[in-house]
Amino acid sequence: MRTHVVDHPLVAHKLTTLRDERTDSPTFRRLADELVTLLAYEATRDVRTELVDITTPVAATTGVRLSHPKPLVVPIIRAGLGMLDGMVRLLPTAEVGFLGMIRDEETLQAATYASRMPEDLSGRQVYVLDPMLATGGTLVAAIRDLIERGADDVTAICLLAAPEGVELMERELAGAPVTVVTAALDERLNELGYIVPGLGDAGDRLYGTAG
């Protein structure tokens, strides 16, 4: 597994405001959207393309376009939905699947409660959206599902990651074609499984605490 921490001043600037507890939900949503687009730019450096012949107003030339099958973008509900617009802005022709996953706050184990994805992902590049790579259990479960469906190249895009989550993914997904792209690798997890210094509960900060 490869972990790529995006080192860019605009990424650091937007992440700092996301971390600030004074940042309200509308501002948080806007900045998360902008940050995801920056991360997606890095995450798609190896997106598969094919040559195509076109004619400009001046001459014939050869360019590139995204290959088939199209990339698949999979936000993990609910917090991953806040990253979807920023991702498809950069990949408007990608298809979108959905995974609903919930973490047991006592055991920290993840379980799937909803899924809307193609059964066969053979030959597909998949981009998984989850704001926080904390314990890693949710992403491990999600990526195993994708690989079992035939995905042969999976990239997880996260706003933040903790060393414990990265280590779990490296151990549980050893040998799998997985990349993690994140804005920062933070210090640690606290006793509640939250990233420190982190930014709190991404879902609550995106959408409030209703429900």
Side-chain angles (χ1 to χ4, degrees), residues 53 59 86:
D53 294 326

Side-chain angles (χ1 to χ4, degrees), residues 143-166:
I143 291 172
R144 278 179 173 161
D145 186 346
L146 296 169
I147 291 174
E148 287 172 0
R149 294 170 186 259
D152 64 357
D153 187 336
V154 180
T155 299
I157 301 175
C158 307
L159 302 182
L160 288 178
E164 295 90 335
V166 172

Side-chain angles (χ1 to χ4, degrees), residues 2 21 36 60 68 86 119 127 155 183 188:
R2 184 171 69 93
E21 65 181 3
V36 169
H68 288 275
E119 287 299 323
Y127 298 90
T155 299
R188 59 183 174 84

Side-chain angles (χ1 to χ4, degrees), residues 98-136:
F98 297 91
L99 267 179
M101 306 196 77
I102 190 167
R103 185 179 74 166
D104 187 302
E105 295 303 324
E106 292 185 3
T107 66
L108 303 182
Q109 296 299 306
T112 301
Y113 66 85
S115 177
R116 179 78 176 188
M117 288 193 303
E119 287 299 323
D120 184 7
L121 295 178
S122 299
R124 299 287 288 270
Q125 285 183 294
V126 183
Y127 298 90
V128 183
L129 309 179
D130 193 12
M132 313 297 282
L133 171 48
T135 62

Side-chain angles (χ1 to χ4, degrees), residues 3-172:
T3 301
H4 176 43
V5 179
V6 178
D7 181 17
H8 191 286
L10 285 180
V11 170
H13 167 73
K14 294 178 188 300
L15 180 57
T16 297
T17 306
L18 285 176
R19 291 186 190 275
D20 194 331
E21 65 181 3
R22 297 169 296 180
T23 300
D24 59 23
S25 286
T27 304
F28 192 96
R29 283 195 295 270
R30 176 176 59 81
L31 286 173
D33 180 77
E34 294 172 359
L35 181 54
V36 169
T37 299
L38 293 173
L39 296 178
Y41 179 80
E42 292 293 330
T44 55
R45 282 188 178 275
D46 295 322
V47 69
R48 294 169 186 161
T49 59
E50 60 189 17
L51 297 177
V52 57
D53 294 326
I54 62 169
T55 302
T56 78
V58 179
T61 188
T62 300
V64 298
R65 65 184 176 193
L66 296 185
S67 301
H68 288 275
K70 296 177 181 178
L72 181 70
V73 177
V74 180
I76 296 180
I77 302 171
R78 74 179 167 145
L81 289 175
M83 302 172 69
L84 181 58
D85 286 349
M87 186 69 190
V88 297
R89 183 177 298 113
L90 203 65
L91 277 179
T93 60
E95 295 181 347
V96 179
F98 297 91
L99 267 179
M101 306 196 77
I102 190 167
R103 185 179 74 166
D104 187 302
E105 295 303 324
E106 292 185 3
T107 66
L108 303 182
Q109 296 299 306
T112 301
Y113 66 85
S115 177
R116 179 78 176 188
M117 288 193 303
E119 287 299 323
D120 184 7
L121 295 178
S122 299
R124 299 287 288 270
Q125 285 183 294
V126 183
Y127 298 90
V128 183
L129 309 179
D130 193 12
M132 313 297 282
L133 171 48
T135 62
T138 298
L139 269 177
V140 166
I143 291 172
R144 278 179 173 161
D145 186 346
L146 296 169
I147 291 174
E148 287 172 0
R149 294 170 186 259
D152 64 357
D153 187 336
V154 180
T155 299
I157 301 175
C158 307
L159 302 182
L160 288 178
E164 295 90 335
V166 172
E167 290 169 7
L168 180 76
M169 289 185 65
E170 289 175 340
R171 184 170 66 251
E172 297 295 325

